[in-house]
Amino acid sequence: MSLPRPKLLKLTPAQQRLLRIAGVVLVAAAVIGLLSWLQGRADTEARARKTPVALAFEQQAETWLAHPRTASDFEHALRSGRLQAVGVSGSLVLYTDRAGLRHSARLVDCGPACGSALLARLGEASSTQGFVLTPIDVDPRTTSQRAAEALGAGGQVLLTLLPAVLIVGLMLMQMRGALPFSSTKLADKPETDFDDVIGAQEAKQALKRVAAFMKDPAAYTRVGAHAPRGVLLDGPPGTGKTLLARALAGECGANFISVDGSYFSSMFFGAGIGRVRELFQRARRCAPCIVFIDEIDGLGKRSRGGEPGAGEQEQNRIINRILVEMDGFSPLDNVVVIGATNHIDNIDEAMRRPGRFDMVVRTAMPTPGEREALFALYLSHVEADEALDLASLSRTATGMSPADIANCVNRAASYAAEAGESRVSAERLYQAIEAFQLGGEVSSTKDLLTPPTFRRLAVHEGGHALVAHLLDAGSVERVSIEPRGGALGVTYVARHSEEPLYGEHELRSRLAMMLAGREAEMLAFGNTSSGAADDLKRASELATNMIASYGFSRSFGLLSLAGVPKELIGPDIQRNVLDEARTLLEAAQGACRQVLTEHRDRLDALTEMLLAQETVSGAALKAVLDGRP
């Protein structure tokens, strides 16, 4: 009876390939292992033939190499008989002196063709001085140097090809949509609403229409109203455009996706189109949704005429794709695109036509009351004094945006922490505002100023403050003689209101205030300085505008030179403008002199106070300006 033959295991082609790969790996591992064993065996035999001193040099070479010396240092040690043991590896010597200190020196650096008489004398010196001399095999290169050189020519080729391989791989992954950083940011639902936005009443009122549509789009479509598709938020930096967009999403319970203009740019041609498509697909899936594109002017304008380059072609295609996506919104898609910009003129005209970004909402700098509320908000987040004059801070911070105010409060808190103070005081807040408005901290110029110069600065700034107060040019909030930025001193004079209209009395008072620093120097010292150069420049500009544009001229009456063609303005007209402007300045100078002369005691008191404190504000400043003790 014959036994059945065992069945042979049939392998698939994939399994056969795996077996072949495994066989190759095993053979390679065996070869590598054999070579490693032979190398280890050779190293062992070589070490067995070396002296203990040579082995010590080779095994602990780093302790000698870490203390390099010059060839002259080694020769001096040789001549003075201070050597205990010397190991020689080519032109490199490792040596130990009689004190046990280990050093290294390289005797020749000019290649194998050079010789060294010092090396030739070592054998004779060893026998006469009694130090140990042995040949050694030491590699002076660092680990990173050996690794870099081990790459060799093949490694250099790989390094050359690596960028090309990476670029090709990234392009393939980009086309397949596999790059993790190519996807749009996830949408979120902000908890911010319009009540959390201080000020910006005009912008909030305009955005309420968008919020009403997103809450109930069917109510608008029933009567045939078109849904708003795009809104442009235009305004100076730091005025809260991003916060307004988030508040809009929170107000109507919509999702919020935020990107910026550079998000659509890519080093790969055509990738920006995919990002636009992906962005709007996600927005439709997350509807109701607000898509916020910050710095949308970064997209620029499409090229006009000529043959555009590759970059311009890509930019044109990105803008075209955004327009196509926005045109494709159905009335019930419930997706609105919000674009924020500081340069609305850079937006392509096609993006601003009706049906796209056809609604422009402008944001402005906060009013005094809004600045006061902003200070109260940001100061509530830090440990601050309770008796802060927020109204004075608001007046001093004229022209600052919400972001600037937040930054100033944070800077004031940093000043307090650096000074070891537990609370943020008014002085720290004014210090932060001064650093912002004057472009920096107290400059090193302060160390160069002599006492007579400080007195001149105090008189100069005191003159500005006193004339501004008595002629009612505004509210004098703070006077300082600390140099900051390009200014050696500063007087903060806030307008009583920030309405856009200036009365004649206010303009004449401001002219006198600008000239008051120079006139105070003349009164106190009998001469003036170059410190009034900027004051004279601004005063001359204001006086010229009063004559040529504001209607304060006797010669031109109601004629404004701003509306007269330049070719009609001849030398006679120019001379008349300058003559009348000079008359205005002289009248302001006379009013200024009268105030300073009649109230010289107040000027002297403020001067002494500034010299003692360098910065004066608050009740003390008001008292000295009013002539009270």
Side-chain angles (χ1 to χ4, degrees):
M1 182 176 177
S2 61
L3 295 174
R5 288 185 176 183
K7 293 182 179 180
L8 298 176
L9 182 63
K10 291 189 70 174
L11 300 177
T12 64
Q15 292 172 331
Q16 291 175 5
R17 285 195 297 271
L18 287 175
L19 280 177
R20 285 196 295 269
I21 294 173
V24 172
V25 171
L26 288 175
V27 172
V31 172
I32 293 174
L34 178 61
L35 292 175
S36 299
W37 180 82
L38 290 175
Q39 183 65 39
R41 181 72 178 176
D43 292 342
T44 302
E45 292 174 352
R47 285 195 299 270
R49 298 179 181 180
K50 293 184 178 180
T51 63
V53 176
L55 290 176
F57 274 123
E58 293 176 357
Q59 293 172 358
Q60 305 177 31
E62 286 297 329
T63 60
W64 279 273
L65 293 172
H67 302 88
R69 293 291 185 271
T70 63
S72 59
D73 291 337
F74 173 73
E75 185 173 3
H76 180 71
L78 175 65
R79 289 179 178 176
S80 59
R82 292 188 288 108
L83 297 179
Q84 181 179 356
V86 178
V88 181
S89 176
S91 61
L92 177 70
V93 295
L94 308 183
Y95 63 96
T96 305
D97 60 17
R98 300 290 184 185
L101 300 179
R102 300 179 176 185
H103 304 288
S104 64
R106 185 172 293 279
L107 304 184
V108 179
D109 284 324
C110 55
C114 296
S116 173
L118 186 58
L119 285 172
R121 300 201 314 267
L122 286 179
E124 180 182 355
S126 173
S127 60
T128 57
Q129 296 182 15
F131 63 82
V132 179
L133 177 65
T134 179
I136 57 175
D137 186 13
V138 171
D139 188 351
R141 298 175 300 173
T142 63
T143 304
S144 59
Q145 289 174 334
R146 288 194 293 268
E149 294 179 10
L151 291 173
Q156 294 299 324
V157 172
L158 289 176
L159 287 176
T160 303
L161 294 177
L162 183 60
V165 173
L166 287 175
I167 290 174
V168 172
L170 289 172
M171 291 178 66
L172 292 175
M173 295 176 69
Q174 180 81 9
M175 289 189 298
R176 296 171 61 91
L179 281 181
F181 51 79
S182 67
S183 59
T184 305
K185 299 177 183 178
L186 295 177
D188 65 338
K189 280 197 173 184
E191 298 180 356
T192 309
D193 56 27
F194 287 147
D195 292 336
D196 298 320
V197 181
I198 295 177
Q201 297 300 325
E202 180 182 352
K204 288 192 289 188
Q205 190 65 32
L207 291 176
K208 284 182 179 179
R209 172 180 159 227
V210 181
F213 161 76
M214 297 196 72
K215 290 179 180 178
D216 187 11
Y220 284 78
T221 58
R222 280 196 298 268
V223 297
H226 294 287
R229 295 178 178 175
V231 179
L232 282 178
L233 292 176
D234 177 37
T239 49
K241 294 184 287 293
T242 303
L243 182 61
L244 278 170
R246 292 187 65 87
L248 173 62
E251 190 76 17
C252 53
N255 289 299
F256 185 77
I257 299 176
S258 176
V259 297
D260 56 50
S262 64
Y263 168 80
F264 305 105
S265 303
S266 174
M267 63 181 292
F268 304 116
F269 189 78
I273 308 300
R275 291 186 175 184
V276 175
R277 186 182 300 111
E278 181 189 11
L279 172 66
F280 284 94
Q281 286 175 353
R282 181 178 293 277
R284 287 185 174 92
R285 288 196 302 268
C286 298
C289 183
I290 297 291
V291 178
F292 178 65
I293 306 177
D294 198 8
E295 305 296 345
I296 194 173
D297 52 279
L299 295 175
K301 295 183 179 181
R302 294 176 294 182
S303 58
R304 298 284 189 269
E307 186 66 26
E312 292 177 333
Q313 290 180 8
E314 178 74 353
Q315 184 175 350
N316 294 347
R317 296 173 64 199
I318 290 173
I319 295 176
N320 290 338
R321 188 66 206 180
I322 292 176
L323 299 180
V324 169
E325 292 287 350
M326 294 183 69
D327 289 340
F329 286 162
S330 71
L332 296 178
D333 269 347
N334 214 1
V335 176
V336 176
V337 184
I338 308 291
T341 177
N342 307 325
H343 308 283
I344 197 168
D345 292 335
N346 290 348
I347 306 298
D348 193 90
E349 289 82 358
M351 299 179 70
R352 299 172 59 182
R353 76 158 177 81
R356 293 167 181 168
F357 288 98
D358 53 359
M359 183 176 179
V360 178
V361 176
R362 306 192 184 279
T363 59
M365 289 295 186
T367 64
E370 292 168 353
R371 289 198 299 271
E372 187 173 342
L374 287 166
F375 270 111
L377 171 65
Y378 295 124
L379 285 171
S380 66
H381 299 159
V382 299
E383 295 294 331
D385 288 344
E386 296 180 358
L388 292 175
D389 188 351
L390 298 182
S392 176
L393 289 172
S394 170
R395 291 191 298 269
T396 308
T398 301
M400 293 176 61
S401 69
D404 296 332
I405 293 174
N407 184 53
C408 276
V409 171
N410 181 68
R411 180 179 291 188
S414 301
Y415 289 154
E418 292 165 3
E421 300 167 356
S422 60
R423 304 183 74 82
V424 179
S425 63
E427 181 61 30
R428 298 303 177 192
L429 288 166
Y430 283 118
Q431 183 182 354
I433 293 173
E434 287 176 5
F436 170 81
Q437 293 183 336
L438 296 180
E441 308 293 338
V442 177
S443 67
S444 57
T445 307
K446 181 177 180 180
D447 299 331
L448 305 176
L449 301 180
T450 60
T453 302
F454 267 116
R455 175 167 291 278
R456 183 177 289 273
L457 289 176
V459 170
H460 185 103
E461 299 302 331
H464 283 310
L466 185 60
V467 171
H469 177 72
L470 293 177
L471 293 185
D472 200 25
S475 175
V476 182
E477 301 294 336
R478 186 173 175 86
V479 185
S480 175
I481 58 172
E482 289 184 314
R484 296 175 184 269
L488 296 179
V490 62
T491 300
Y492 290 98
V493 180
R495 295 185 66 196
H496 297 304
S497 68
E498 294 185 16
E499 59 183 15
L501 297 179
Y502 289 83
E504 181 177 0
H505 172 76
E506 182 181 1
L507 291 175
R508 291 182 179 274
S509 297
R510 295 187 73 83
L511 275 181
M513 175 194 70
M514 293 175 188
L515 301 176
R518 181 179 184 278
E519 293 306 314
E521 290 186 43
M522 289 291 295
L523 181 64
F525 306 109
N527 57 69
T528 185
S529 67
S530 62
D534 186 63
D535 297 332
L536 295 176
K537 174 185 174 182
R538 292 187 295 114
S540 300
E541 183 179 3
L542 175 57
T544 303
N545 286 332
M546 290 173 65
I547 298 300
S549 302
Y550 299 165
F552 294 104
S553 170
R554 293 190 305 272
S555 302
F556 306 120
L558 302 179
L559 184 65
S560 171
L561 296 186
V564 177
K566 292 184 179 179
E567 57 270 18
L568 298 181
I569 302 177
D572 293 340
I573 295 179
Q574 296 174 5
R575 184 169 55 254
N576 288 337
V577 170
L578 295 179
D579 288 343
E580 288 204 54
R582 184 165 54 249
T583 301
L584 271 181
L585 291 173
E586 291 172 352
Q589 183 184 33
C592 180
R593 286 177 178 175
Q594 181 179 356
V595 169
L596 293 173
T597 303
E598 292 179 357
H599 302 281
R600 175 67 183 271
D601 56 334
R602 302 187 193 182
L603 176 62
D604 293 339
L606 181 54
T607 299
E608 297 302 327
M609 187 178 293
L610 284 171
L611 289 173
Q613 303 178 20
E614 294 187 348
T615 299
V616 182
S617 62
L621 176 61
K622 297 295 189 231
V624 71
L625 291 177
D626 288 335
R628 293 183 280 110

